[in-house]
């Protein structure tokens, strides 16, 4: 068999799912991302968090470590999870890769105090239009009590925080009043979703995932529910998206940003959705003044651990396999256009054909700009 033949669909050959975070402004998307990124995970403890460019990669060991309290012995079949770093970045939700959404799965953040808001509904509609799976993070659960208890200033009398704990464990520690308050809010929000034509349910009560969307109560401040969220994202993706997540040698790659970086010139930050990129690959990207044909000079990612994350220094890779966020340096990228595809020229490929395909992406970017 040819070396570059598309591998068989197989659960043992999956790429990492790509996840984005959506929702109304101020629901805590940024905070939740911080929390997921594990700024509160002890250094070295979980190990190997790599803050990527435009996207953060979590290796499976990291997820396993952070979800061990959930006692989910289920095997993680994907190598990790790639979370896009730009919540709320308008254009991001529109980014596509070869006609389908760049994200395999999304976290839809809803503020428990506010319920569904205009941008929640907008996000919801986008997700439905793109047929993207999502999980609802019912955020700010720790503040329920701050507002409703008589002890506004003292968290100890209200919602009891237990840092980064699974949600069921946290829930059991709450007083009856707090639980009642929570349940009342939850019921209202489930009703609001129903009004949008969606069935939702607390994830640990959800017996018909796929029909009914799961809600995970979270606190982006103290991390409760975040283990549940990580585990469900990974488990649900690997269970239901085997075909989509099957690793494939055909490169699928989208340019997120075009940036000038000191010492590197103009670089592009990309999300590699599938396939593998090599140093020295000939690539074509869509440019303002026509297709850009160039050669990958360097494939860069930030250093994994934070004390090494010195500004401006990157790890160099000979090759990188999907799914990953990568900074690419190459000549002639000055006029590259964010939101378009990156194409690798193979030995058998016709340069002109690929140029044409690359420039097609311009139309869809322009369409999006027109609409916004
Ligand atoms: P974004 O606009 O959706 O990205 O929201 P941010 O992450 O910027 O959060 C908005 C505000 O809500 C900030 O003041 C956060 O500190 C606060 N916030 C976010 N998550 C939580 C949470 O889980 N609990 C509480 N009490 N406050 C939160």
């Amino acid at each position: 068999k040819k070396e570059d033949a598309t591998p068989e669909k197989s659960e043992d050959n999956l790429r990492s799912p790509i996840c984005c975070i959506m929702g109304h402004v101020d629901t805590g998307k940024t905070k939740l991302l911080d929390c997921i990124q594990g700024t509160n995970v002890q250094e070295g403890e979980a190990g190997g968090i790599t803050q990527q460019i435009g996207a953060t990669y979590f290796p499976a060991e990291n997820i396993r470590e952070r979800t061990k309290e959930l006692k989910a012995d289920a095997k993680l079949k994907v190598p990790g999870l790639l979370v896009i770093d730009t919540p709320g970045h308008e254009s991001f939700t529109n980014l596509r890769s070869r006609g389908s959404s760049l994200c395999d799965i999304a976290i839809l953040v809803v503020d428990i105090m506010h319920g569904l808001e205009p941008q929640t509904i907008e996000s919801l509609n986008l997700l439905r239009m793109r047929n993207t799976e999502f999980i609802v993070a019912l955020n700010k659960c720790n503040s329920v009590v701050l507002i409703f208890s008589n002890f506004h200033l003292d968290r100890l009398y209200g919602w009891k925080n237990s840092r980064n704990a699974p949600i069921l464990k946290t829930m059991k520690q709450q007083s009856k009043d707090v639980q009642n308050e929570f349940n009342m809010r939850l019921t209202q929000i489930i009703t609001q979703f129903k009004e949008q034509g969606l069935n939702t349910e607390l994830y640990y009560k959800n017996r018909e995932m796929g029909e009914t969307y799961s809600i995970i109560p979270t606190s982006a401040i103290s991390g409760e529910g975040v283990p549940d969220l990580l585990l469900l994202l990974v488990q649900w993706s690997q269970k239901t998206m085997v075909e989509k997540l099957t690793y494939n040698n055909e490169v699928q790659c989208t340019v997120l940003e075009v940036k000038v970086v000191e010492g590197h010139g103009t670089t592009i930050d990309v999300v590699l959705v599938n396939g593998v990129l090599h140093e020295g690959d000939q690539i074509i990207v869509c440019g303002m003044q026509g297709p850009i044909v160039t050669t990958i000079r360097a494939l860069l990612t930030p250093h994994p651990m934070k004390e090494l994350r010195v500004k401006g220094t990157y790890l160099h890779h000979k090759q990188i396999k999907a799914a990953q966020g990568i900074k690419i340096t190459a000549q002639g990228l000055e006029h590259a256009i964010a939101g378009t595809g990156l194409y690798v020229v193979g030995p058998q490929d016709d340069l002109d054909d690929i140029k044409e395909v690359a420039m097609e992406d311009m139309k869809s970017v322009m369409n999006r700009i027109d609409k916004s």
Side-chain angles (χ1 to χ4, degrees), residues 23-32 87 109 139-143 146 155 218-222:
H24 196 80
V25 67
D26 272 349
T27 49
K29 297 184 293 297
T30 311
K31 206 82 194 157
L32 192 61
V109 187
N139 196 38
K140 304 202 185 181
C141 277
N142 58 344
S143 59
L146 281 179
R155 286 172 185 237
T218 57
S219 164
I221 302 284
S222 48

Side-chain angles (χ1 to χ4, degrees), residues 59-73:
E61 313 86 75
N62 177 268
I63 295 168
R64 211 169 284 128
E65 179 65 31
R66 295 173 71 182
T67 57
K68 65 180 176 211
E69 262 196 89
L70 286 166
K71 302 213 174 5
D73 300 323

Side-chain angles (χ1 to χ4, degrees), residues 167-184:
I167 199 63
L168 260 177
K169 184 178 164 192
T170 312
M171 210 60 96
K172 283 183 188 141
Q173 291 169 0
Q174 308 305 327
S175 67
K176 263 270 146 314
D177 282 353
V178 172
Q179 291 194 16
N180 288 341
E181 183 64 44
F182 171 84
N183 284 328
M184 186 210 64

Side-chain angles (χ1 to χ4, degrees), residues 45-86:
E45 170 194 282
I49 303 167
T50 309
Q51 205 195 349
Q52 301 286 12
I53 298 153
T56 305
Y57 180 65
F58 301 93
E61 313 86 75
N62 177 268
I63 295 168
R64 211 169 284 128
E65 179 65 31
R66 295 173 71 182
T67 57
K68 65 180 176 211
E69 262 196 89
L70 286 166
K71 302 213 174 5
D73 300 323
K75 199 172 140 234
L76 296 185
K77 295 171 190 146
V78 290
L81 178 72
L82 189 70
V83 180
I84 300 298
D85 279 354
T86 43

